Amino acid sequence: MILEMKVPSPGESIKEVEIATWLVKDGDYVEKDQAIAEVDSDKATLELPAEASGIITLKAEEGDAVAVGAVVCLIDTSAAKPTSVESQKPESPKAEPVKTEAPKAEPVAEKTYATQAPSPAARKILDEKNIQPTDIVGTGKGGRITKDDAVNATPSMGTPTGGTRGSERTKLSMLRRKVAERLVAAKNETAMLTTFNEVNMTPINMIRNEYKDAFKTKHGGLGLGYMSFFTKAVTRALALFPDVNSMIDGDFKTAYDFCDISIAVSGPKGLMVPVVRNAELLSFRGVEAEIKRLAIKSRDGQITVDDMTGGTFTITNGGVFGSMLSTPIINPPQSGILGMHNIIERPIAVNGKVEIHPMMYVALSYDHRIIDGRESVGFLVAVKEALENPLELLMHGDAKKALEL
């Protein structure tokens, strides 16, 4: 029996996918549920599992765009599973190593200037400049290179010597093309501005240093990272400044009474932005567990369209790559995105004295069509206040209870 495998629908509104990679070859025997291909949609990269066991015949090439419901391969379910040929081969006798006498190295000739004779002074100058005598024309008697020739000589800048100059042209994945399209739209269709502030990370570091080991032990190896503090600080600030948690739709504004926080993570297929649903209801443990789950799915290429659909506000952390400061771009149709950056010890004034503290610059990019300066600046100040006083503003004065220890 020949089974026609068709492209399943990865989600609503998706009419076409692209064959990113075939994981099997034409004529291979595949097992049921074995991943046979990776397909790109404009929202995610998904694995295509075999619907039955049998010999596969591919009907599309890598890079082909195929409609949802189109046949991409055939599986002959009546074909018998081939036996392993390799296991039936008699073990080959071990070959005796063949002794070969290493070729005698040719003596390396000392650097000579037989083709272009320079004076001793010129030779010293050329060696210092790393210029070969053959690269310049001598003006002395019989073409001899003089000291003046060496002084005036300049290295060649136009001729590559031994370096590779190759290039490779590859088609962007459908997901990457869609991301590019959305980023351009965000720049062209929003009135995007960015406001900045800085955060003293000492209070958070003190809490993490005191409780991170107990947190990890109590919650099955779960780490107490910075993202849970930032997520909790953001949900608190969104409640204080709801315009930042809204979107513009033509002549209307849609406001949300929940916080679905998109967390930008780096995966093998590029930037992914899965969503932590109802983050305002989650504890520190709940935020860390959900971020870890989504990060693992992104890393393993298992992230789905549903995982990335929605989101009312985004947090991105360029600090993990060493970024000191940036202007993050809005994730449409959202109206705001918070950018985290690396933590650097810097001198700051504290109660009239200079102290060294771990500091982080934070940036809020926002759509000025719907968010005014008062709301944007107030929101970022509220985030800063919560991060600099997490015990009172995020943990209600009881760190152990907030961390479920």
Side-chain angles (χ1 to χ4, degrees):
M1 175 183 173
I2 302 298
L3 171 69
E4 292 184 339
M5 270 199 60
K6 300 178 180 180
V7 178
S9 175
E12 294 182 8
S13 77
I14 298 178
K15 305 298 183 184
E16 187 180 70
V17 298
E18 191 173 274
I19 305 297
T21 306
W22 281 111
L23 304 177
V24 296
K25 298 189 294 293
D26 196 53
D28 281 356
Y29 185 88
V30 298
E31 300 282 358
K32 183 179 180 181
D33 296 327
Q34 174 186 343
I36 60 174
E38 290 181 350
V39 295
D40 283 342
S41 72
D42 59 7
K43 293 184 178 179
T45 297
L46 306 172
E47 285 189 345
L48 187 66
E51 296 176 5
S53 299
I55 300 294
I56 192 168
T57 302
L58 308 183
K59 291 295 183 181
E61 300 288 338
E62 290 185 358
D64 284 356
V66 291
V68 170
V71 176
V72 288
C73 65
L74 306 175
I75 298 179
D76 184 358
T77 59
S78 62
K81 183 176 181 179
T83 57
S84 175
V85 178
E86 293 296 327
S87 61
Q88 298 175 3
K89 288 183 178 180
E91 186 177 348
S92 301
K94 293 183 179 179
E96 290 294 328
V98 179
K99 295 182 179 180
T100 58
E101 187 175 342
K104 293 181 179 179
E106 292 292 330
V108 179
E110 293 184 2
K111 184 187 287 187
T112 62
Y113 299 95
T115 54
Q116 283 287 84
S119 68
R123 180 182 303 177
K124 184 175 183 296
I125 295 171
L126 293 177
D127 285 343
E128 290 173 353
K129 291 186 174 184
N130 197 25
I131 299 176
Q132 294 296 327
T134 52
D135 294 337
I136 61 177
V137 177
T139 60
K141 186 176 180 180
R144 185 179 179 85
I145 298 172
T146 66
K147 180 181 178 180
D148 287 341
D149 294 332
V151 169
N152 296 324
T154 56
S156 171
M157 302 295 290
T159 304
T161 55
T164 59
R165 294 175 58 80
S167 63
E168 182 181 8
R169 187 172 185 265
T170 58
K171 187 177 182 180
L172 295 175
S173 68
M174 184 177 286
L175 174 61
R176 195 68 194 181
R177 297 198 302 270
K178 186 63 176 181
V179 169
E181 179 184 316
R182 287 166 60 87
L183 293 178
V184 171
K187 291 288 287 185
N188 293 339
E189 298 172 10
T190 65
M192 192 175 78
L193 292 178
T194 304
T195 184
F196 304 94
N197 216 314
E198 62 179 0
V199 176
N200 185 345
M201 300 295 290
T202 297
I204 291 178
N205 284 348
M206 291 174 63
I207 293 174
R208 291 182 68 240
N209 291 338
E210 183 175 356
Y211 295 109
K212 64 181 180 181
D213 291 338
F215 187 88
K216 189 172 185 177
T217 301
K218 178 68 180 291
H219 301 304
L222 197 63
L224 179 61
Y226 291 113
M227 285 304 302
S228 53
F229 288 91
F230 273 82
T231 302
K232 298 290 286 182
V234 162
T235 58
R236 173 183 176 273
L238 289 175
L240 296 173
F241 298 91
D243 279 353
V244 184
N245 198 41
S246 60
M247 302 178 188
I248 193 168
D249 182 12
D251 294 332
F252 296 88
K253 178 180 77 172
T254 302
Y256 301 94
D257 61 358
F258 57 88
C259 300
D260 282 358
I261 305 299
S262 303
I263 306 291
V265 297
S266 181
K269 296 292 184 179
L271 185 68
M272 302 288 180
V273 194
V275 181
V276 176
R277 311 286 177 186
N278 284 108
E280 78 281 4
L281 303 179
L282 297 178
S283 64
F284 282 83
R285 179 189 62 82
V287 172
E288 292 289 355
E290 185 64 2
I291 290 176
K292 181 179 180 180
R293 182 185 72 85
L294 293 169
I296 290 173
K297 291 187 71 175
S298 298
R299 181 196 66 194
D300 295 343
Q302 301 296 320
I303 204 76
T304 66
V305 174
D306 290 340
D307 291 325
M308 296 190 293
T309 300
T312 61
F313 186 88
T314 295
I315 301 175
T316 181
N317 185 5
V320 296
F321 305 111
S323 172
M324 183 189 76
L325 191 62
S326 68
T327 55
I329 190 167
I330 294 172
N331 180 21
Q334 298 172 19
S335 299
I337 179 171
L338 178 72
M340 301 166 57
H341 300 91
N342 63 355
I343 301 171
I344 300 292
E345 288 193 342
R346 291 192 283 110
I348 62 171
V350 179
N351 297 324
K353 296 181 179 179
V354 175
E355 297 181 6
I356 304 296
H357 285 272
M359 304 296 295
M360 177 193 288
Y361 290 118
V362 289
L364 172 72
S365 291
Y366 61 98
D367 189 346
H368 206 355
R369 296 177 303 166
I370 196 171
I371 303 171
D372 292 331
R374 172 187 170 276
E375 281 72 27
S376 62
V377 174
F379 172 88
L380 197 56
V381 169
V383 170
K384 171 185 170 69
E385 290 173 345
L387 294 173
E388 293 186 338
N389 189 10
L391 185 61
E392 297 299 324
L393 299 182
L394 300 179
M395 297 177 160
H396 308 292
D398 190 339
K400 286 188 175 181
K401 184 176 179 181
L403 299 175
E404 302 173 53
L405 298 178

